[in-house]
Amino acid sequence: MAEEPFRALLEAAPDAMVIVDDGGVIRLVNAQTEALFGYPRHELLGRPIEILVPERFRAQHPGHRLGYSANQQVRPMGASLDLYGLRRDGGEFPVEISISPLQTPDGLLISAAVRDVSERKAAEARFRALLEAAPDAIVIVDDTGTIQLVNAQTEALFGYRREELLGQQVEILVPQRFHPHHPAHRHGYVDNRRVRPMGAGLELYGLRRDGVEFPVEISLSPLDTPEGTLVSAAIRDVSERKKAEAQLAELYEQQRHVALTLQRSLMGSPAPLAGMDTSSRYFPARQGPGVGGDWFDLIALGGGRMGVLIGDVMGRGLEAAAVMGQLRSASHALAKTGMPPWQLMRALDAVVSELPDQLVTCCYLVLDPDESALTVCSAGHLPVLVVDTTGQVRRLPVDVSVPLGVGDVPHQETRITVPPASVLALYTDGLVETPTSDIELQIDALAIALEKAVADTTCLERAADSVLTALLPDPQDYSDDVTLLLARIPLSPVTAVSAPLPAQPISVREGRRFLRHTLQDWHCEPLTDTACLLASELLSNSVRHACDPLRLRLRRTRDELHVEVCDGSPVLPRARTAGLDEESGRGLALLDQLASAWGTLLTEEGKAVWFSLPLPGTPDRQDESTSEDASGAPE
């Protein structure tokens, strides 16, 4: 055998090179072989190759060797075989061997390149140990989706034995309903190869061996290997967490429902005002506790007058809602007494001042539809918008004072004439205030949206929806209460007349004559006797205790007659019990018995005392109503 042509090449090889003949006898080795196996060269030459094979494999090794000699195929390194070498000192170590046949004049030789893979095997063992120690199920797949490696947690989580998973497509662990789309997602990830952490906002599910689905979180990591890209998936069962989240969400919704129910009960649902077209919207905040301090109210003040009130307790939560409930109850009761707007604001200011660290904005309007006049008082509230009959939007020119709770600051009221059929818009800051925009610009945007909505439709319900759509593009994301109230100024009734009278005894007779003639013209003769009796009581009281200007005002609605006596005295009549021999003091008893409703109002000139009677052919509502002012009655 000629060794020289091979020696230089063998000595330069990085691996141990062993050349044997077809009988398995070692014919040539290099220095790396001596270093790897611990034999000097002369102890290997001429010896059978089995000297380098562990004892436990020697019985089978000649058969493998003879089989290779018969096939003579090149076998590369890393051919998925677990091979071991044996050192001179008896130590075994893992190796990879590439084998190549060499045809020579002396016969067949076999070249074996032997590589010590102890470090790599140790690294693989550490890697496997890490996988087994991982708290999550680990599944490693190749770029075709074939499972290459799993850990014990995968077996426990999915119920498969390890050998049942290796070599299978990863879709075996995916519910059937996701199979059509999963390969595309998998290929897309392999192309992008980005790390995806746990909890990436995806609703993912796994499939156990018994067919049960369960929610999971999965983190994905690409692994570049000589064999190609592998994808490591860490899978975590989140069934318990999802269950806890569902319980918390249910509890939150229950608490939110309780809070909203409490707020709505405190806020109330104002009854529509007869003769006034209104539309209201209230939405609680979608963030945080979901309740706040917004409220609005519609109040029938008698004599055809109407009160419209809106307020906002600064802050959110149940505390703001509780304060709102107190203020709504107080404001409604005070308004029903006929208290003028400035005085009502002063009374509410006193209530708020007694509450610690509270500020409240509020606006109260009193509408007299017969004169199309508004009396407005605003305590720090956002400007009222009005769409006039030409379709133009403007802000009501009203003096705005400080919010309630500041104290010691007078609240001024303003009287404004507003054309009939104009539309008023009252709202709270939740509709126009955002963290990133100027509130004045948002009010201007509201004005534009309101102008378009009123121009597009005469229905205030549709107009309100249109405004909210324009101002709140994402109705599920507002962070504050939203309140919007639209009200159309009624047309002046054609069946409303008044007569000025002197504050003298003759006015009682003149007032009865005016009342009889008017009721005759209105075809309401059946009411004449009762109306004249009660009007005489009110006129007599004004003549006796009040001063000019004295005025008798009559107003007929669809089902009621309203009679009102105005005088120049701000002193409200007081109820008293008449003695058996006294001629006065019975006005209250007469009103309670004969009128369906009655009350008093403070006016710009003084006061007004009014009563209502049902028109012939309509139900008598005396039993359905109570006195609107227990403190005010003719003497």
Side-chain angles (χ1 to χ4, degrees):
M1 159 180 164
E3 297 183 2
E4 295 304 327
F6 303 100
R7 187 171 299 280
L9 180 62
L10 292 180
E11 296 299 332
D15 299 316
M17 301 296 297
V18 181
I19 296 177
V20 301
D21 59 20
D22 56 359
V25 177
I26 299 174
R27 296 301 184 185
L28 193 63
V29 297
N30 64 356
Q32 285 76 9
T33 304
E34 296 178 284
L36 180 60
F37 288 92
Y39 286 94
R41 190 172 310 208
H42 67 272
E43 292 184 10
L44 293 176
L45 298 178
R47 302 289 297 277
I49 188 64
E50 280 75 20
I51 191 175
L52 304 179
V53 177
E55 184 71 30
R56 55 198 173 105
F57 299 118
R58 285 181 183 176
Q60 296 84 21
H61 191 265
H64 295 318
R65 177 167 47 78
L66 292 175
Y68 181 81
S69 297
N71 292 325
Q72 298 185 19
Q73 295 176 336
V74 175
R75 190 183 72 192
M77 288 280 190
S80 302
L81 299 176
D82 286 326
L83 304 176
Y84 292 88
L86 179 66
R87 290 191 177 93
R88 190 173 189 269
D89 59 7
E92 291 186 15
F93 62 100
V95 295
E96 282 185 348
I97 302 177
S98 69
I99 301 177
S100 302
L102 301 173
Q103 293 292 341
T104 70
D106 299 325
L108 175 65
L109 298 180
I110 298 173
S111 171
V114 184
R115 180 177 300 167
D116 184 356
V117 292
S118 298
E119 292 186 3
R120 195 185 75 194
K121 290 291 185 178
E124 291 178 355
R126 289 194 296 270
F127 176 69
R128 290 177 181 272
L130 287 174
L131 290 184
E132 296 300 329
D136 300 315
I138 303 295
V139 179
I140 297 178
V141 301
D142 60 20
D143 55 2
T144 66
T146 303
I147 299 175
Q148 300 295 328
L149 192 63
V150 297
N151 63 355
Q153 285 75 11
T154 304
E155 296 179 282
L157 181 59
F158 288 93
Y160 288 95
R161 297 192 308 276
R162 193 170 309 210
E163 55 270 21
E164 292 179 302
L165 293 176
L166 298 180
Q168 297 288 333
Q169 290 297 111
V170 72
E171 279 75 22
I172 193 176
L173 306 177
V174 177
Q176 184 68 35
R177 56 198 173 103
F178 299 117
H179 281 194
H181 309 290
H182 192 265
H185 296 319
R186 175 164 47 77
H187 290 307
Y189 179 82
V190 172
D191 293 337
N192 292 327
R193 296 196 298 177
R194 293 177 298 181
V195 174
R196 190 184 75 192
M198 287 278 190
L202 302 174
E203 293 290 335
L204 304 175
Y205 292 86
L207 180 68
R208 292 191 174 94
R209 193 175 191 271
D210 59 7
V212 175
E213 293 186 14
F214 61 102
V216 296
E217 281 187 349
I218 302 177
S219 68
L220 299 179
S221 302
L223 303 172
D224 289 323
T225 70
E227 292 78 17
T229 299
L230 299 179
V231 177
S232 172
I235 306 169
R236 181 177 301 166
D237 184 355
V238 293
S239 300
E240 292 299 322
R241 195 186 75 195
K242 291 289 186 181
K243 181 179 178 181
E245 288 175 353
Q247 291 174 342
L248 287 175
E250 182 179 1
L251 180 60
Y252 171 79
E253 287 301 321
Q254 290 176 352
Q255 293 176 337
R256 178 180 172 84
H257 176 72
V258 170
L260 291 177
T261 301
L262 173 62
Q263 183 184 39
R264 290 191 177 100
S265 66
L266 294 173
M267 185 178 189
S269 299
L273 293 174
M276 177 179 260
D277 183 15
T278 62
S279 176
S280 61
R281 296 289 185 273
Y282 170 76
F283 299 112
R286 300 298 301 179
Q287 302 175 12
V291 295
D294 287 12
W295 89 94
F296 66 93
D297 205 356
L298 303 172
I299 310 156
L301 300 176
R305 295 178 180 85
M306 307 169 186
V308 180
L309 189 142
I310 192 167
D312 185 3
V313 179
M314 295 185 183
R316 292 166 56 194
L318 289 177
E319 182 179 1
V323 173
M324 174 272 291
Q326 297 178 59
L327 294 180
R328 183 193 179 277
S329 298
S331 61
H332 189 89
L334 292 171
K336 294 294 271 186
T337 67
M339 186 176 288
W342 71 269
Q343 194 172 0
L344 184 141
M345 288 298 174
R346 187 174 68 176
L348 291 182
D349 195 17
V351 174
V352 176
S353 297
E354 295 179 356
L355 302 174
D357 302 323
Q358 291 291 342
L359 286 177
V360 179
T361 66
C362 188
C363 183
Y364 181 42
L365 302 84
V366 174
L367 169 66
D368 186 344
D370 293 351
E371 300 179 3
S372 297
L374 283 175
T375 304
V376 186
C377 186
S378 177
H381 203 74
L382 296 170
V384 179
L385 301 180
V386 58
V387 186
D388 61 25
T389 53
T390 67
Q392 300 297 312
V393 180
R394 60 185 176 89
R395 303 185 185 190
L396 281 184
V398 175
D399 293 330
V400 179
S401 61
V402 297
L404 304 177
V406 175
D408 299 327
V409 177
H411 300 283
Q412 304 295 329
E413 66 180 29
T414 306
R415 185 175 175 85
I416 307 168
T417 300
V418 180
S422 299
V423 176
L424 301 175
L426 297 90
Y427 50 95
T428 57
D429 56 5
L431 182 62
V432 294
E433 189 173 42
T434 66
T436 58
S437 62
D438 183 87
I439 193 169
E440 289 295 325
L441 296 178
Q442 288 298 104
I443 293 175
D444 291 340
L446 171 60
I448 295 172
L450 182 64
E451 181 177 4
K452 183 178 185 303
V454 174
D456 290 344
T457 178
T458 59
C459 175
L460 292 188
E461 292 292 330
R462 288 199 293 268
D465 290 336
S466 176
V467 169
L468 290 176
T469 300
L471 270 292
L472 299 174
D474 186 1
Q476 301 301 318
D477 194 37
Y478 39 82
S479 59
D480 196 4
D481 291 15
V482 174
T483 302
L484 173 66
L485 175 63
L486 302 181
R488 181 174 279 114
I489 303 296
L491 297 174
S492 299
V494 294
T495 52
V497 294
S498 62
L501 301 169
Q504 298 177 9
I506 194 175
S507 296
V508 178
R509 184 182 62 189
E510 294 297 325
R512 284 197 297 265
R513 181 182 295 114
F514 175 74
L515 180 56
R516 287 193 186 96
H517 291 163
T518 301
L519 294 181
Q520 185 177 2
D521 293 339
W522 288 351
H523 306 290
C524 296
E525 291 89 344
L527 299 179
T528 301
D529 291 342
T530 302
C532 287
L533 174 60
L534 297 181
S536 297
E537 290 288 336
L538 299 184
L539 288 169
S540 298
N541 194 52
S542 293
V543 168
R544 182 179 301 176
H545 300 288
C547 58
D548 288 330
L550 188 66
R551 183 178 56 161
L552 176 63
R553 187 166 81 159
L554 309 179
R555 190 171 186 272
R556 188 186 69 180
T557 65
R558 184 179 61 180
D559 53 7
E560 282 189 325
L561 170 70
H562 296 275
V563 180
E564 181 178 282
V565 175
C566 305
D567 59 47
S569 172
V571 180
L572 299 178
R574 292 179 295 108
R576 66 182 181 87
T577 302
L580 295 177
D581 56 348
E582 290 183 298
E583 296 182 0
S584 61
R586 295 178 174 82
L588 176 59
L590 289 173
L591 285 174
D592 279 340
Q593 291 296 320
L594 301 178
S596 60
W598 66 274
T600 61
L601 287 169
L602 290 175
T603 65
E604 202 171 3
E605 297 87 4
K607 69 174 179 296
V609 184
W610 59 270
F611 66 86
S612 299
L613 296 172
L615 293 179
T618 60
D620 189 346
R621 297 188 300 171
Q622 184 174 4
D623 294 336
E624 303 174 11
S625 306
T626 57
S627 172
E628 297 194 29
D629 180 16
S631 64
E635 293 185 326

